[in-house]
Amino acid sequence: MKKQMLRFSRVSLIYHTKHGETTAAENLSLTVDEGEFVAIIGPSGCGKTTLLSLAAGLLKPSAGTVETGGSCGYMLQKDELFPWRTIEKNIYLPLEVKRQNTPEHRERARSLAVKYGLGDFLQSYPSELSGGMRQRAALIRTLATDPDILLLDEPFSALDYQTRLNVCDDVSAIIRSEGKTALLITHDISEAISLADRVLVLTKRPAHVAYEHRMDFGDVQKPLRRREMPQFSGWFETLWKELNQ
Amino acid sequence: MKYAKEKQLFSHEHMLYLKRRRRRQAVVWTLRVALLVFLLAAWELVTTVFGWVDPFFMSSPSRIARTIASLYAEGTLFYHIGVTLAETLVGFAIAVIVGYGVALALWASETLRKVLEPYIVVLNALPKIALGPLIIIWFGTGSEAIVFMTVLVGVIVATLHMLSAFIATDKNKVLLLRSMGASKWQILYKLVVPSSLASFISMLKVAVGMSWIGSIMGEYIVSRAGLGYLIVYGGQVFKLDLVMSATVILCILAAGMYFLVVLLEKAIVKNAES
Ligand SMILES: Nc1ncnc2c1ncn2[C@@H]1O[C@H](COP(=O)(O)OP(=O)(O)O)[C@@H](O)[C@H]1O
Ligand SMILES: [Mg+2]
């Protein structure tokens, strides 16, 4: 049996505000194995971001337990690159924060950037890059500290359609070739199908896992190729129905 | 045809555009200077030349020039300028530093912010001049009192200005840093301080104006030297020439200080780009 990198056991989370309480997750259980790419889809406002915050340890569950088998790297919807830093300095940011800013670590992060096509942009500022390139830089920043699990919160939703398909391909290729475990949150059904090994469908709020499917695209991992395969539309229909129940 | 400018090639059309721009700027500057010359000339004409208005009530450019020259000859011109300038600059520096520090503390602790909010609102609304008598009793009638007044006028504005900039820090970028395990201290110097740089500059601009208000107001109440003192003294003995001369010098100094902040802004922007 494979090592589990992330396990939620009967997790509940309640937000308290002046106006009342919101149960964002209830009795939520899931696991992610080492090296697996899991996508989670759910209606908007159901508690997807909450789930990632729990996984990243930014929130403590109100009930149940969250266990992780390693360090987490968090990637947000927008690139959130710091405009006053060059791409290179942006990529070193997590190293600085985690006090791992040694020449070896910097070299590793740098070579990742070069390997994935950012070599010419290291001295550029974020405003000089296209949306797709910026999101790629954000991914390299996430990978800079060599995290064991990547947590991706709708990382493509701020991009236009054309860019989104390409960046989706890029990101998938990078994550697969680095052999990372990934948990992707999205509300885009086709994105989930084209990227993941396994897709979890969440219920409306309070969120818990309603359905779980293992994708059957064989060895095909490239999102653009998966979209052309005959199984794709079948999965789309299934997930569409489950999501709209 | 191509033209080279700063090692870059521009099209003919772009060169024409740049030329038009330069010309427009030249027009603006010419009109600015012309307006000043016109106002000064009109002032001089209605007072000294035609004698429509008694220069006793309005002074005149030539009399102002003569007054400044005689202050210079007496050796007191730079003394008064120096006194006011020093009070203003010291007050400005203290107000900016204290304002920035207090804003940081208020940013760091929401409880402190909540507790102090009503006090800050009241202090902000209070006309500082109402504290004049208290300041005299506490600090006497020397420069300390004036510096204190200057700080008082500037510090609240500086605090509120920076606090709103700190609070406006992008929530998602804070979240990003927190996901990396950043401490509050790291969030502060990696994100909050650099992202509020533009607000810091605009705060300096506001604080420059406030410091002049504070120092002149202070000199009105207590002083025995400085430009504010010259204005008050000139008013009391009906020497309008003196009042106007000090005011003109004040205008020049205030503009100069503002200009320095603009230079600082340019230097910082350039530095951030390179
Ligand atoms: N900090 C918070 N305080 C109170 N309620 C929150 C907070 N964050 C999220 N919520 C609520 O929890 C629910 C789930 O939010 P979220 O996890 O962001 O959903 P999703 O990412 O699926 O759109 C929403 O109804 C939202 O209003
Ligand atoms: Mg969300």
Side-chain angles (χ1 to χ4, degrees), chain A residues 4-13 25 27-32 40 47-57 59 61 63-68 151 183 209:
Chain A
Q4 287 185 347
M5 290 304 277
L6 184 64
R7 179 166 51 216
F8 278 55
S9 319
R10 308 176 68 79
V11 168
S12 296
L13 188 112
N27 246 330
L28 196 155
S29 299
L30 63 87
T31 57
V32 179
I40 294 185
K48 301 185 293 296
T49 298
T50 305
L51 191 156
L52 277 201
S53 299
L54 284 163
L59 289 174
T65 54
V66 175
E67 295 159 89
T68 50
L151 304 169
L183 181 59
V209 179

PDB file of all heavy atoms in Angstrom, chain A residues 4-13 25 27-32 40 47-57 59 61 63-68 151 183 209:
ATOM      1  N   GLN A   4       0.241   7.435   2.560  1.00  0.00           N
ATOM      2  CA  GLN A   4      -0.762   8.497   2.448  1.00  0.00           C
ATOM      3  C   GLN A   4      -0.126   9.838   2.798  1.00  0.00           C
ATOM      4  O   GLN A   4       0.540   9.968   3.820  1.00  0.00           O
ATOM      5  CB  GLN A   4      -1.930   8.220   3.398  1.00  0.00           C
ATOM      6  CG  GLN A   4      -2.804   7.074   2.901  1.00  0.00           C
ATOM      7  CD  GLN A   4      -4.017   6.868   3.750  1.00  0.00           C
ATOM      8  OE1 GLN A   4      -4.120   7.410   4.851  1.00  0.00           O
ATOM      9  NE2 GLN A   4      -4.936   6.075   3.254  1.00  0.00           N
ATOM     10  N   MET A   5      -0.318  10.806   1.925  1.00  0.00           N
ATOM     11  CA  MET A   5       0.284  12.115   2.158  1.00  0.00           C
ATOM     12  C   MET A   5      -0.665  13.064   2.872  1.00  0.00           C
ATOM     13  O   MET A   5      -0.255  14.051   3.468  1.00  0.00           O
ATOM     14  CB  MET A   5       0.718  12.743   0.829  1.00  0.00           C
ATOM     15  CG  MET A   5       1.903  12.046   0.202  1.00  0.00           C
ATOM     16  SD  MET A   5       3.322  11.988   1.303  1.00  0.00           S
ATOM     17  CE  MET A   5       4.000  13.595   1.019  1.00  0.00           C
ATOM     18  N   LEU A   6      -1.955  12.769   2.754  1.00  0.00           N
ATOM     19  CA  LEU A   6      -2.936  13.647   3.380  1.00  0.00           C
ATOM     20  C   LEU A   6      -4.148  12.827   3.784  1.00  0.00           C
ATOM     21  O   LEU A   6      -4.616  11.984   2.998  1.00  0.00           O
ATOM     22  CB  LEU A   6      -3.359  14.731   2.370  1.00  0.00           C
ATOM     23  CG  LEU A   6      -4.323  15.820   2.848  1.00  0.00           C
ATOM     24  CD1 LEU A   6      -3.693  16.671   3.931  1.00  0.00           C
ATOM     25  CD2 LEU A   6      -4.753  16.686   1.674  1.00  0.00           C
ATOM     26  N   ARG A   7      -4.584  13.003   5.026  1.00  0.00           N
ATOM     27  CA  ARG A   7      -5.792  12.294   5.442  1.00  0.00           C
ATOM     28  C   ARG A   7      -6.684  13.201   6.276  1.00  0.00           C
ATOM     29  O   ARG A   7      -6.265  13.744   7.299  1.00  0.00           O
ATOM     30  CB  ARG A   7      -5.455  11.036   6.230  1.00  0.00           C
ATOM     31  CG  ARG A   7      -6.755  10.318   6.686  1.00  0.00           C
ATOM     32  CD  ARG A   7      -6.539   8.925   7.179  1.00  0.00           C
ATOM     33  NE  ARG A   7      -5.488   8.867   8.168  1.00  0.00           N
ATOM     34  CZ  ARG A   7      -4.636   7.860   8.277  1.00  0.00           C
ATOM     35  NH1 ARG A   7      -4.713   6.826   7.463  1.00  0.00           N
ATOM     36  NH2 ARG A   7      -3.716   7.881   9.205  1.00  0.00           N
ATOM     37  N   PHE A   8      -7.930  13.358   5.816  1.00  0.00           N
ATOM     38  CA  PHE A   8      -8.964  14.043   6.589  1.00  0.00           C
ATOM     39  C   PHE A   8      -9.845  12.947   7.188  1.00  0.00           C
ATOM     40  O   PHE A   8     -10.339  12.098   6.450  1.00  0.00           O
ATOM     41  CB  PHE A   8      -9.860  14.906   5.675  1.00  0.00           C
ATOM     42  CG  PHE A   8      -9.289  16.248   5.332  1.00  0.00           C
ATOM     43  CD1 PHE A   8      -8.040  16.370   4.750  1.00  0.00           C
ATOM     44  CD2 PHE A   8     -10.031  17.415   5.567  1.00  0.00           C
ATOM     45  CE1 PHE A   8      -7.524  17.608   4.411  1.00  0.00           C
ATOM     46  CE2 PHE A   8      -9.519  18.660   5.232  1.00  0.00           C
ATOM     47  CZ  PHE A   8      -8.270  18.759   4.653  1.00  0.00           C
ATOM     48  N   SER A   9     -10.025  12.939   8.508  1.00  0.00           N
ATOM     49  CA  SER A   9     -10.922  11.971   9.123  1.00  0.00           C
ATOM     50  C   SER A   9     -12.069  12.698   9.820  1.00  0.00           C
ATOM     51  O   SER A   9     -11.848  13.390  10.807  1.00  0.00           O
ATOM     52  CB  SER A   9     -10.175  11.113  10.157  1.00  0.00           C
ATOM     53  OG  SER A   9      -8.914  10.762   9.662  1.00  0.00           O
ATOM     54  N   ARG A  10     -13.242  12.540   9.262  1.00  0.00           N
ATOM     55  CA  ARG A  10     -14.471  13.100   9.828  1.00  0.00           C
ATOM     56  C   ARG A  10     -14.263  14.550  10.299  1.00  0.00           C
ATOM     57  O   ARG A  10     -14.571  14.908  11.436  1.00  0.00           O
ATOM     58  CB  ARG A  10     -14.970  12.234  10.989  1.00  0.00           C
ATOM     59  CG  ARG A  10     -15.099  10.765  10.596  1.00  0.00           C
ATOM     60  CD  ARG A  10     -15.504   9.904  11.761  1.00  0.00           C
ATOM     61  NE  ARG A  10     -16.871  10.179  12.190  1.00  0.00           N
ATOM     62  CZ  ARG A  10     -17.944   9.705  11.574  1.00  0.00           C
ATOM     63  NH1 ARG A  10     -17.833   8.930  10.521  1.00  0.00           N
ATOM     64  NH2 ARG A  10     -19.149  10.007  12.008  1.00  0.00           N
ATOM     65  N   VAL A  11     -13.784  15.360   9.370  1.00  0.00           N
ATOM     66  CA  VAL A  11     -13.446  16.745   9.713  1.00  0.00           C
ATOM     67  C   VAL A  11     -14.664  17.661   9.592  1.00  0.00           C
ATOM     68  O   VAL A  11     -15.424  17.579   8.629  1.00  0.00           O
ATOM     69  CB  VAL A  11     -12.329  17.275   8.769  1.00  0.00           C
ATOM     70  CG1 VAL A  11     -12.172  18.783   8.917  1.00  0.00           C
ATOM     71  CG2 VAL A  11     -11.025  16.558   9.055  1.00  0.00           C
ATOM     72  N   SER A  12     -14.858  18.499  10.591  1.00  0.00           N
ATOM     73  CA  SER A  12     -15.872  19.545  10.516  1.00  0.00           C
ATOM     74  C   SER A  12     -15.206  20.884  10.764  1.00  0.00           C
ATOM     75  O   SER A  12     -14.208  20.958  11.479  1.00  0.00           O
ATOM     76  CB  SER A  12     -16.961  19.345  11.573  1.00  0.00           C
ATOM     77  OG  SER A  12     -17.649  18.150  11.319  1.00  0.00           O
ATOM     78  N   LEU A  13     -15.724  21.909  10.114  1.00  0.00           N
ATOM     79  CA  LEU A  13     -15.221  23.240  10.386  1.00  0.00           C
ATOM     80  C   LEU A  13     -16.354  24.246  10.423  1.00  0.00           C
ATOM     81  O   LEU A  13     -17.171  24.300   9.517  1.00  0.00           O
ATOM     82  CB  LEU A  13     -14.199  23.704   9.359  1.00  0.00           C
ATOM     83  CG  LEU A  13     -13.604  25.024   9.875  1.00  0.00           C
ATOM     84  CD1 LEU A  13     -12.175  24.893  10.252  1.00  0.00           C
ATOM     85  CD2 LEU A  13     -13.870  26.164   8.948  1.00  0.00           C
ATOM     86  N   ALA A  25     -17.646  22.738   6.530  1.00  0.00           N
ATOM     87  CA  ALA A  25     -17.368  21.324   6.241  1.00  0.00           C
ATOM     88  C   ALA A  25     -17.941  20.484   7.365  1.00  0.00           C
ATOM     89  O   ALA A  25     -17.942  20.902   8.517  1.00  0.00           O
ATOM     90  CB  ALA A  25     -15.863  21.086   6.130  1.00  0.00           C
ATOM     91  N   ASN A  27     -18.123  16.299   8.632  1.00  0.00           N
ATOM     92  CA  ASN A  27     -17.886  14.872   8.435  1.00  0.00           C
ATOM     93  C   ASN A  27     -17.142  14.571   7.154  1.00  0.00           C
ATOM     94  O   ASN A  27     -17.448  13.628   6.447  1.00  0.00           O
ATOM     95  CB  ASN A  27     -19.220  14.140   8.401  1.00  0.00           C
ATOM     96  CG  ASN A  27     -19.340  13.222   9.594  1.00  0.00           C
ATOM     97  OD1 ASN A  27     -18.317  12.718  10.086  1.00  0.00           O
ATOM     98  ND2 ASN A  27     -20.547  13.013  10.057  1.00  0.00           N
ATOM     99  N   LEU A  28     -16.157  15.412   6.872  1.00  0.00           N
ATOM    100  CA  LEU A  28     -15.448  15.270   5.608  1.00  0.00           C
ATOM    101  C   LEU A  28     -14.257  14.327   5.778  1.00  0.00           C
ATOM    102  O   LEU A  28     -13.408  14.562   6.627  1.00  0.00           O
ATOM    103  CB  LEU A  28     -14.995  16.661   5.164  1.00  0.00           C
ATOM    104  CG  LEU A  28     -14.571  16.860   3.718  1.00  0.00           C
ATOM    105  CD1 LEU A  28     -14.761  18.313   3.334  1.00  0.00           C
ATOM    106  CD2 LEU A  28     -13.150  16.448   3.477  1.00  0.00           C
ATOM    107  N   SER A  29     -14.255  13.252   4.986  1.00  0.00           N
ATOM    108  CA  SER A  29     -13.127  12.325   5.038  1.00  0.00           C
ATOM    109  C   SER A  29     -12.568  12.142   3.637  1.00  0.00           C
ATOM    110  O   SER A  29     -13.314  12.011   2.672  1.00  0.00           O
ATOM    111  CB  SER A  29     -13.559  10.962   5.578  1.00  0.00           C
ATOM    112  OG  SER A  29     -14.057  11.104   6.892  1.00  0.00           O
ATOM    113  N   LEU A  30     -11.256  12.158   3.531  1.00  0.00           N
ATOM    114  CA  LEU A  30     -10.621  11.878   2.240  1.00  0.00           C
ATOM    115  C   LEU A  30      -9.159  11.542   2.471  1.00  0.00           C
ATOM    116  O   LEU A  30      -8.600  11.857   3.527  1.00  0.00           O
ATOM    117  CB  LEU A  30     -10.757  13.062   1.283  1.00  0.00           C
ATOM    118  CG  LEU A  30     -10.106  14.395   1.639  1.00  0.00           C
ATOM    119  CD1 LEU A  30      -8.653  14.458   1.174  1.00  0.00           C
ATOM    120  CD2 LEU A  30     -10.880  15.521   0.982  1.00  0.00           C
ATOM    121  N   THR A  31      -8.557  10.900   1.478  1.00  0.00           N
ATOM    122  CA  THR A  31      -7.117  10.637   1.560  1.00  0.00           C
ATOM    123  C   THR A  31      -6.488  10.932   0.201  1.00  0.00           C
ATOM    124  O   THR A  31      -7.149  10.870  -0.830  1.00  0.00           O
ATOM    125  CB  THR A  31      -6.808   9.162   1.887  1.00  0.00           C
ATOM    126  OG1 THR A  31      -7.414   8.351   0.885  1.00  0.00           O
ATOM    127  CG2 THR A  31      -7.316   8.771   3.260  1.00  0.00           C
ATOM    128  N   VAL A  32      -5.227  11.309   0.261  1.00  0.00           N
ATOM    129  CA  VAL A  32      -4.453  11.488  -0.968  1.00  0.00           C
ATOM    130  C   VAL A  32      -3.167  10.691  -0.808  1.00  0.00           C
ATOM    131  O   VAL A  32      -2.447  10.861   0.173  1.00  0.00           O
ATOM    132  CB  VAL A  32      -4.122  12.977  -1.207  1.00  0.00           C
ATOM    133  CG1 VAL A  32      -3.290  13.140  -2.471  1.00  0.00           C
ATOM    134  CG2 VAL A  32      -5.391  13.819  -1.281  1.00  0.00           C
ATOM    135  N   ILE A  40     -10.607  18.121  -6.721  1.00  0.00           N
ATOM    136  CA  ILE A  40     -11.861  18.209  -5.975  1.00  0.00           C
ATOM    137  C   ILE A  40     -12.738  19.236  -6.648  1.00  0.00           C
ATOM    138  O   ILE A  40     -12.301  20.372  -6.886  1.00  0.00           O
ATOM    139  CB  ILE A  40     -11.591  18.618  -4.516  1.00  0.00           C
ATOM    140  CG1 ILE A  40     -10.824  17.494  -3.824  1.00  0.00           C
ATOM    141  CG2 ILE A  40     -12.887  18.926  -3.790  1.00  0.00           C
ATOM    142  CD1 ILE A  40     -10.607  17.721  -2.356  1.00  0.00           C
ATOM    143  N   GLY A  47     -17.146  25.213   0.294  1.00  0.00           N
ATOM    144  CA  GLY A  47     -16.130  24.988   1.322  1.00  0.00           C
ATOM    145  C   GLY A  47     -14.818  24.442   0.769  1.00  0.00           C
ATOM    146  O   GLY A  47     -14.028  23.858   1.500  1.00  0.00           O
ATOM    147  N   LYS A  48     -14.574  24.668  -0.521  1.00  0.00           N
ATOM    148  CA  LYS A  48     -13.356  24.115  -1.141  1.00  0.00           C
ATOM    149  C   LYS A  48     -12.097  24.803  -0.619  1.00  0.00           C
ATOM    150  O   LYS A  48     -11.130  24.146  -0.236  1.00  0.00           O
ATOM    151  CB  LYS A  48     -13.438  24.274  -2.669  1.00  0.00           C
ATOM    152  CG  LYS A  48     -14.644  23.588  -3.300  1.00  0.00           C
ATOM    153  CD  LYS A  48     -14.618  23.667  -4.803  1.00  0.00           C
ATOM    154  CE  LYS A  48     -14.781  25.069  -5.362  1.00  0.00           C
ATOM    155  NZ  LYS A  48     -16.076  25.684  -5.069  1.00  0.00           N
ATOM    156  N   THR A  49     -12.132  26.139  -0.591  1.00  0.00           N
ATOM    157  CA  THR A  49     -10.967  26.873  -0.100  1.00  0.00           C
ATOM    158  C   THR A  49     -10.717  26.543   1.371  1.00  0.00           C
ATOM    159  O   THR A  49      -9.568  26.390   1.803  1.00  0.00           O
ATOM    160  CB  THR A  49     -11.180  28.391  -0.284  1.00  0.00           C
ATOM    161  OG1 THR A  49     -11.306  28.650  -1.682  1.00  0.00           O
ATOM    162  CG2 THR A  49     -10.032  29.186   0.270  1.00  0.00           C
ATOM    163  N   THR A  50     -11.808  26.399   2.102  1.00  0.00           N
ATOM    164  CA  THR A  50     -11.707  26.018   3.514  1.00  0.00           C
ATOM    165  C   THR A  50     -10.953  24.708   3.664  1.00  0.00           C
ATOM    166  O   THR A  50     -10.078  24.564   4.522  1.00  0.00           O
ATOM    167  CB  THR A  50     -13.124  25.878   4.108  1.00  0.00           C
ATOM    168  OG1 THR A  50     -13.826  27.093   3.888  1.00  0.00           O
ATOM    169  CG2 THR A  50     -13.072  25.553   5.574  1.00  0.00           C
ATOM    170  N   LEU A  51     -11.282  23.771   2.778  1.00  0.00           N
ATOM    171  CA  LEU A  51     -10.648  22.447   2.819  1.00  0.00           C
ATOM    172  C   LEU A  51      -9.132  22.586   2.635  1.00  0.00           C
ATOM    173  O   LEU A  51      -8.344  21.966   3.353  1.00  0.00           O
ATOM    174  CB  LEU A  51     -11.270  21.611   1.706  1.00  0.00           C
ATOM    175  CG  LEU A  51     -11.011  20.108   1.635  1.00  0.00           C
ATOM    176  CD1 LEU A  51     -12.149  19.445   0.875  1.00  0.00           C
ATOM    177  CD2 LEU A  51      -9.710  19.788   0.953  1.00  0.00           C
ATOM    178  N   LEU A  52      -8.720  23.423   1.679  1.00  0.00           N
ATOM    179  CA  LEU A  52      -7.282  23.605   1.447  1.00  0.00           C
ATOM    180  C   LEU A  52      -6.610  24.294   2.624  1.00  0.00           C
ATOM    181  O   LEU A  52      -5.485  23.956   2.992  1.00  0.00           O
ATOM    182  CB  LEU A  52      -7.032  24.420   0.176  1.00  0.00           C
ATOM    183  CG  LEU A  52      -7.044  23.677  -1.153  1.00  0.00           C
ATOM    184  CD1 LEU A  52      -6.299  24.472  -2.201  1.00  0.00           C
ATOM    185  CD2 LEU A  52      -6.439  22.291  -1.028  1.00  0.00           C
ATOM    186  N   SER A  53      -7.304  25.280   3.208  1.00  0.00           N
ATOM    187  CA  SER A  53      -6.731  25.957   4.374  1.00  0.00           C
ATOM    188  C   SER A  53      -6.520  24.971   5.517  1.00  0.00           C
ATOM    189  O   SER A  53      -5.534  25.067   6.251  1.00  0.00           O
ATOM    190  CB  SER A  53      -7.650  27.091   4.851  1.00  0.00           C
ATOM    191  OG  SER A  53      -7.803  28.034   3.829  1.00  0.00           O
ATOM    192  N   LEU A  54      -7.450  24.038   5.638  1.00  0.00           N
ATOM    193  CA  LEU A  54      -7.293  23.002   6.664  1.00  0.00           C
ATOM    194  C   LEU A  54      -6.074  22.143   6.351  1.00  0.00           C
ATOM    195  O   LEU A  54      -5.255  21.854   7.226  1.00  0.00           O
ATOM    196  CB  LEU A  54      -8.548  22.125   6.719  1.00  0.00           C
ATOM    197  CG  LEU A  54      -9.769  22.733   7.412  1.00  0.00           C
ATOM    198  CD1 LEU A  54     -11.033  21.966   7.036  1.00  0.00           C
ATOM    199  CD2 LEU A  54      -9.578  22.717   8.925  1.00  0.00           C
ATOM    200  N   ALA A  55      -5.941  21.759   5.091  1.00  0.00           N
ATOM    201  CA  ALA A  55      -4.819  20.911   4.698  1.00  0.00           C
ATOM    202  C   ALA A  55      -3.489  21.616   4.928  1.00  0.00           C
ATOM    203  O   ALA A  55      -2.504  21.010   5.328  1.00  0.00           O
ATOM    204  CB  ALA A  55      -4.962  20.505   3.229  1.00  0.00           C
ATOM    205  N   ALA A  56      -3.482  22.951   4.683  1.00  0.00           N
ATOM    206  CA  ALA A  56      -2.240  23.709   4.834  1.00  0.00           C
ATOM    207  C   ALA A  56      -1.955  24.053   6.288  1.00  0.00           C
ATOM    208  O   ALA A  56      -0.924  24.642   6.590  1.00  0.00           O
ATOM    209  CB  ALA A  56      -2.322  24.987   4.005  1.00  0.00           C
ATOM    210  N   GLY A  57      -2.897  23.718   7.172  1.00  0.00           N
ATOM    211  CA  GLY A  57      -2.695  24.013   8.587  1.00  0.00           C
ATOM    212  C   GLY A  57      -2.993  25.455   8.941  1.00  0.00           C
ATOM    213  O   GLY A  57      -2.657  25.915  10.039  1.00  0.00           O
ATOM    214  N   LEU A  59      -6.011  26.617   9.164  1.00  0.00           N
ATOM    215  CA  LEU A  59      -7.191  26.539  10.029  1.00  0.00           C
ATOM    216  C   LEU A  59      -7.122  25.237  10.805  1.00  0.00           C
ATOM    217  O   LEU A  59      -6.596  24.239  10.310  1.00  0.00           O
ATOM    218  CB  LEU A  59      -8.469  26.525   9.184  1.00  0.00           C
ATOM    219  CG  LEU A  59      -8.909  27.792   8.467  1.00  0.00           C
ATOM    220  CD1 LEU A  59     -10.108  27.486   7.578  1.00  0.00           C
ATOM    221  CD2 LEU A  59      -9.258  28.860   9.482  1.00  0.00           C
ATOM    222  N   PRO A  61      -9.335  22.238  12.506  1.00  0.00           N
ATOM    223  CA  PRO A  61     -10.699  21.707  12.381  1.00  0.00           C
ATOM    224  C   PRO A  61     -11.476  21.849  13.690  1.00  0.00           C
ATOM    225  O   PRO A  61     -10.887  21.774  14.768  1.00  0.00           O
ATOM    226  CB  PRO A  61     -10.480  20.235  12.017  1.00  0.00           C
ATOM    227  CG  PRO A  61      -9.083  19.925  12.400  1.00  0.00           C
ATOM    228  CD  PRO A  61      -8.313  21.201  12.318  1.00  0.00           C
ATOM    229  N   ALA A  63     -13.815  19.753  14.486  1.00  0.00           N
ATOM    230  CA  ALA A  63     -13.884  18.363  14.937  1.00  0.00           C
ATOM    231  C   ALA A  63     -13.159  17.503  13.914  1.00  0.00           C
ATOM    232  O   ALA A  63     -12.997  17.900  12.768  1.00  0.00           O
ATOM    233  CB  ALA A  63     -15.338  17.918  15.068  1.00  0.00           C
ATOM    234  N   GLY A  64     -12.729  16.312  14.327  1.00  0.00           N
ATOM    235  CA  GLY A  64     -12.009  15.431  13.421  1.00  0.00           C
ATOM    236  C   GLY A  64     -10.536  15.774  13.345  1.00  0.00           C
ATOM    237  O   GLY A  64     -10.063  16.677  14.052  1.00  0.00           O
ATOM    238  N   THR A  65      -9.803  15.048  12.498  1.00  0.00           N
ATOM    239  CA  THR A  65      -8.364  15.291  12.415  1.00  0.00           C
ATOM    240  C   THR A  65      -7.913  15.438  10.967  1.00  0.00           C
ATOM    241  O   THR A  65      -8.487  14.856  10.056  1.00  0.00           O
ATOM    242  CB  THR A  65      -7.554  14.130  13.029  1.00  0.00           C
ATOM    243  OG1 THR A  65      -7.974  12.918  12.396  1.00  0.00           O
ATOM    244  CG2 THR A  65      -7.754  14.032  14.525  1.00  0.00           C
ATOM    245  N   VAL A  66      -6.882  16.265  10.807  1.00  0.00           N
ATOM    246  CA  VAL A  66      -6.223  16.423   9.516  1.00  0.00           C
ATOM    247  C   VAL A  66      -4.779  16.007   9.706  1.00  0.00           C
ATOM    248  O   VAL A  66      -4.095  16.530  10.575  1.00  0.00           O
ATOM    249  CB  VAL A  66      -6.272  17.887   9.035  1.00  0.00           C
ATOM    250  CG1 VAL A  66      -5.483  18.062   7.748  1.00  0.00           C
ATOM    251  CG2 VAL A  66      -7.712  18.357   8.872  1.00  0.00           C
ATOM    252  N   GLU A  67      -4.338  15.003   8.925  1.00  0.00           N
ATOM    253  CA  GLU A  67      -2.940  14.573   9.040  1.00  0.00           C
ATOM    254  C   GLU A  67      -2.252  14.752   7.694  1.00  0.00           C
ATOM    255  O   GLU A  67      -2.820  14.425   6.654  1.00  0.00           O
ATOM    256  CB  GLU A  67      -2.873  13.092   9.427  1.00  0.00           C
ATOM    257  CG  GLU A  67      -3.420  12.790  10.808  1.00  0.00           C
ATOM    258  CD  GLU A  67      -3.799  11.331  10.938  1.00  0.00           C
ATOM    259  OE1 GLU A  67      -2.947  10.533  11.322  1.00  0.00           O
ATOM    260  OE2 GLU A  67      -4.969  11.014  10.618  1.00  0.00           O
ATOM    261  N   THR A  68      -1.033  15.280   7.756  1.00  0.00           N
ATOM    262  CA  THR A  68      -0.264  15.405   6.514  1.00  0.00           C
ATOM    263  C   THR A  68       1.024  14.618   6.660  1.00  0.00           C
ATOM    264  O   THR A  68       1.587  14.512   7.746  1.00  0.00           O
ATOM    265  CB  THR A  68       0.090  16.868   6.205  1.00  0.00           C
ATOM    266  OG1 THR A  68       0.674  17.454   7.363  1.00  0.00           O
ATOM    267  CG2 THR A  68      -1.129  17.674   5.797  1.00  0.00           C
ATOM    268  N   LEU A 151      -0.897  22.180  -2.897  1.00  0.00           N
ATOM    269  CA  LEU A 151      -2.302  22.498  -2.718  1.00  0.00           C
ATOM    270  C   LEU A 151      -2.633  23.612  -3.690  1.00  0.00           C
ATOM    271  O   LEU A 151      -2.074  24.711  -3.608  1.00  0.00           O
ATOM    272  CB  LEU A 151      -2.561  22.965  -1.281  1.00  0.00           C
ATOM    273  CG  LEU A 151      -2.124  21.972  -0.198  1.00  0.00           C
ATOM    274  CD1 LEU A 151      -2.179  22.618   1.178  1.00  0.00           C
ATOM    275  CD2 LEU A 151      -2.996  20.724  -0.245  1.00  0.00           C
ATOM    276  N   LEU A 183      -3.128  18.249  -4.758  1.00  0.00           N
ATOM    277  CA  LEU A 183      -4.555  18.332  -4.488  1.00  0.00           C
ATOM    278  C   LEU A 183      -5.051  19.616  -5.138  1.00  0.00           C
ATOM    279  O   LEU A 183      -4.668  20.716  -4.751  1.00  0.00           O
ATOM    280  CB  LEU A 183      -4.814  18.372  -2.977  1.00  0.00           C
ATOM    281  CG  LEU A 183      -6.273  18.441  -2.527  1.00  0.00           C
ATOM    282  CD1 LEU A 183      -7.051  17.244  -3.040  1.00  0.00           C
ATOM    283  CD2 LEU A 183      -6.362  18.503  -1.014  1.00  0.00           C
ATOM    284  N   VAL A 209     -17.518  14.623   1.023  1.00  0.00           N
ATOM    285  CA  VAL A 209     -17.311  13.978  -0.273  1.00  0.00           C
ATOM    286  C   VAL A 209     -18.543  13.162  -0.635  1.00  0.00           C
ATOM    287  O   VAL A 209     -18.954  12.268   0.096  1.00  0.00           O
ATOM    288  CB  VAL A 209     -16.066  13.071  -0.238  1.00  0.00           C
ATOM    289  CG1 VAL A 209     -15.874  12.389  -1.581  1.00  0.00           C
ATOM    290  CG2 VAL A 209     -14.848  13.890   0.141  1.00  0.00           C
TER     291      VAL A 209
END
